[in-house]
Amino acid sequence: MNNRNEPAHLRQPNPAGTTDQSNQQLSQPDRQRVALDSTPELPLVPAVAAAPSMPITRSQKSAIISDPSDLLFYTALALLPVDGTVAGIPLPFWTPLSPWLFLAYALVNARLLRTVARRYLPFVLFPLLLVLVSCYGWTTVGFHGWAAARSIGSVVLGLACLASLEIARRIKRLPWKPMVTVLVVTYGVAFLVGMVQWAGVQWHVVGIRQFFARLMYRNYTWERPQFLFAEPSYIGMHLFGVLLPIYWLTRDRRIAVLIPVFAFGSMVMGAGTRIVIDTVVAGVLWLLVSINFKRRGATIGAASGIAVAAAGAVAAILLDPRLNKLASDGLLKGDGSMSARIFHMLAPAWAWKHDPWHTLLGWGAGNISNAVRVGYWGARRWYDARGGLVNAEIKGLVNPPADTFTMSGYVSFITEFGLLAVLLLAVMILATISIHHAWNRKMLCWMVLVAYLYIQFEAYAFYALPLLVWGAMRTTHPTAGVDYVE
């Protein structure tokens, strides 16, 4: 006879045709309840415990966080637009917080980094290659320790962003929806901050202007809103280098509303000329991705959209004073800021033509100032002969500081690490896309957009390139209807 005080899994089963005496004394509902209570329970296996390579269906849902470390990831997302305040840690031309939080998140989840390293091995080894290549420049040109550390460190921080995406989305399978909610809220707050800055400029509110003068690391709010970015020209990097690709990945309509509101609001508030150009370029690429060209009506609509974008660009040139002056007087003498940007790129690039070995292998991490010093006078003669505007910023480059910047990702990277390193990085990205069969119209337009954005942007730790690489690895399992990510 079974003992009622024993646990259910230790009781001996009753022989066939017999009944527990104590159970006979119970009513029918009580006997059913006892039978249910004595049923062995199945062990609960958390979804996160599954192997990273195991496919999951779209119907499966993930928890918002799988462990407390995921709060670091969400905090990094919340601080994405905060990259120009005195609270940040200075990197070349910006003071972000999120890259450091991505790095902390990756380190806290160090047990998962082996999985990340296997999947992204060429990119994981790339910073080591850059250090080895830099040894040539360090031994032949010089070594600026702090500038070199910030340069290599920025590459590592960009890699930490890639690792964090892999850990949060593909390994832990955290859902997109709360991530997008955080992004929409934080960029919405940044837009409201820009409106306050614009009000301070419009109505000469001294308190507002003084507050942001103390808050921003490089202050532009005396004349135009810069939101919480390092400078107004970073608006397009965030809208079209981060938010637009995330919209392509998630199709979340909230981002589809946020991007045009932020872009056109920035134009109306006079935040700068680059956001106008960036919006036209991104708008055309978005049309190319979105339109189904197999339908005649859609093709006509796409052509009409591109025509509208072109007409908008012409209208912007006619109505915006800075764009109008650039169109009429040229890039070298139409605007002082544009002239300085061009010369920042021109001076180190001029040194390339006279030093092929350093052009191939680089001047070494942190040695942009050496290349600027070598190429300055040659670039200056060419620049002056074409009537370029000369201001104090350009004159100061005759003896540049060790942390000199170029304002172009391509010029900075070639100058520091050489043309061969740039070509190798391009091959790695193209090979990743090809190996994972990710070539399609969206990926091609995404690549073109990122390549365009880095022409006037040089922060190695920014999120646009890691997001592109991660998006290229977002592959579908051969089994139909099963996705590794969603």
Side-chain angles (χ1 to χ4, degrees), residues 99 103 127-128 150-162 460-461:
L103 178 62
L128 300 177
R150 293 207 303 173
S151 180
I152 297 294
S154 294
V155 177
V156 173
L157 289 173
L159 186 62
C161 175
L162 176 61
Y460 302 155

Side-chain angles (χ1 to χ4, degrees), residues 89 115 188 252 278 281 397:
I89 300 175
T115 302
D252 194 300
D278 289 352
V281 173
L397 291 178

Side-chain angles (χ1 to χ4, degrees), residues 301-353:
S304 302
I306 294 174
V308 170
V314 173
I317 292 173
L318 295 175
L319 299 176
D320 187 282
R322 291 183 68 191
L323 286 176
N324 189 289
K325 194 165 179 59
L326 284 170
S328 59
D329 296 345
L331 296 177
L332 296 183
K333 52 186 176 180
D335 180 75
S337 177
M338 178 62 71
S339 301
R341 285 177 176 272
I342 292 175
F343 196 84
H344 270 284
M345 293 184 280
L346 183 62
W350 199 270
W352 300 350
K353 59 187 293 190

Side-chain angles (χ1 to χ4, degrees), residues 347-375:
W350 199 270
W352 300 350
K353 59 187 293 190
H354 301 295
D355 197 335
W357 282 110
H358 281 112
T359 303
L360 289 174
L361 300 175
W363 272 257
N367 286 347
I368 291 177
S369 60
N370 297 81
V372 171
R373 191 176 293 108
V374 170

Side-chain angles (χ1 to χ4, degrees), residues 6-342:
E6 285 184 314
H9 67 280
L10 296 178
R11 297 176 193 166
Q12 296 295 328
N14 291 328
T18 65
T19 308
D20 194 317
Q21 183 177 357
S22 61
N23 200 20
Q24 289 178 350
Q25 300 174 358
L26 300 175
S27 62
Q28 181 67 20
D30 290 337
R31 285 201 298 272
Q32 292 176 354
R33 186 170 62 252
V34 170
L36 289 173
D37 291 342
S38 63
T39 304
E41 294 183 358
L42 294 176
L44 297 177
V45 180
V48 183
S53 59
M54 291 293 291
I56 61 174
T57 61
R58 294 179 184 272
S59 61
Q60 290 175 294
K61 295 183 180 180
S62 305
I64 294 178
I65 62 171
S66 65
D67 59 71
S69 70
D70 296 329
L71 295 175
L72 277 173
F73 183 78
Y74 284 106
T75 305
L77 295 182
L79 293 175
L80 281 183
V82 186
D83 64 18
T85 68
V86 294
I89 300 175
L91 292 173
F93 214 73
W94 66 326
T95 57
L97 291 165
S98 294
W100 303 98
L101 292 172
F102 284 133
L103 178 62
Y105 180 70
L107 294 177
V108 168
N109 291 278
R111 70 189 187 282
L112 303 175
L113 289 180
R114 181 179 297 180
T115 302
V116 176
R118 282 199 303 265
R119 190 172 178 86
Y120 298 94
L121 186 60
F123 297 96
V124 171
L125 297 177
F126 194 62
L128 300 177
L129 175 66
L130 297 182
V131 173
L132 293 176
V133 169
S134 293
C135 290
Y136 172 70
W138 291 339
T139 55
T140 58
V141 175
F143 180 72
H144 305 286
W146 178 238
R150 293 207 303 173
S151 180
I152 297 294
S154 294
V155 177
V156 173
L157 289 173
L159 186 62
C161 175
L162 176 61
S164 296
L165 276 169
E166 180 71 9
I167 291 170
R169 278 294 298 149
R170 190 170 280 118
I171 297 179
K172 294 187 176 182
R173 294 182 171 91
L174 302 183
W176 271 121
K177 190 171 183 179
M179 297 182 192
V180 172
T181 299
V182 171
L183 290 174
V184 170
V185 170
T186 189
Y187 278 96
V189 170
F191 184 74
L192 293 177
V193 169
M195 293 180 65
V196 172
Q197 294 170 345
W198 176 78
V201 174
Q202 284 292 110
W203 292 295
H204 307 286
V205 182
V206 177
I208 293 176
R209 300 168 76 176
Q210 287 180 344
F211 172 78
F212 286 105
R214 290 191 295 267
L215 177 65
M216 307 309 295
Y217 188 77
R218 300 179 79 250
N219 182 40
Y220 293 82
T221 59
W222 290 107
E223 56 183 15
R224 50 184 167 145
Q226 74 181 95
F227 306 93
L228 293 171
F229 306 137
E231 65 166 41
S233 65
Y234 281 33
I235 301 170
M237 290 299 303
H238 283 270
L239 295 185
F240 309 125
V242 177
L243 293 181
L244 181 56
I246 290 178
Y247 169 73
W248 282 334
L249 292 172
T250 65
R251 295 294 176 181
D252 194 300
R253 294 181 180 179
R254 294 173 295 173
I255 298 182
V257 173
L258 174 64
I259 293 174
V261 168
F262 207 126
F264 288 106
S266 301
M267 295 181 207
V268 170
M269 290 187 287
T273 57
R274 182 178 172 182
I275 184 57
V276 179
I277 302 171
D278 289 352
T279 301
V280 172
V281 173
V284 170
L285 292 173
W286 173 80
L287 281 173
L288 293 177
V289 171
S290 303
I291 299 300
N292 181 6
F293 288 96
K294 294 181 181 179
R295 297 172 53 190
R296 179 180 299 178
T299 304
I300 295 174
S304 302
I306 294 174
V308 170
V314 173
I317 292 173
L318 295 175
L319 299 176
D320 187 282
R322 291 183 68 191
L323 286 176
N324 189 289
K325 194 165 179 59
L326 284 170
S328 59
D329 296 345
L331 296 177
L332 296 183
K333 52 186 176 180
D335 180 75
S337 177
M338 178 62 71
S339 301
R341 285 177 176 272
I342 292 175

Side-chain angles (χ1 to χ4, degrees), residues 400-445:
D403 58 351
T404 297
F405 48 87
T406 70
M407 296 190 175
S408 170
Y410 301 103
V411 175
S412 292
F413 208 85
I414 293 174
T415 302
E416 291 192 277
F417 306 114
L419 184 60
L420 294 180
V422 173
L423 294 176
L424 177 60
L425 178 60
V427 169
M428 287 164 52
I429 295 172
L430 295 175
T432 298
I433 297 172
S434 299
I435 290 171
H436 292 85
H437 308 289
W439 283 113
N440 52 43
R441 196 192 325 159
K442 180 181 73 177
M443 179 56 64
L444 182 60
C445 290

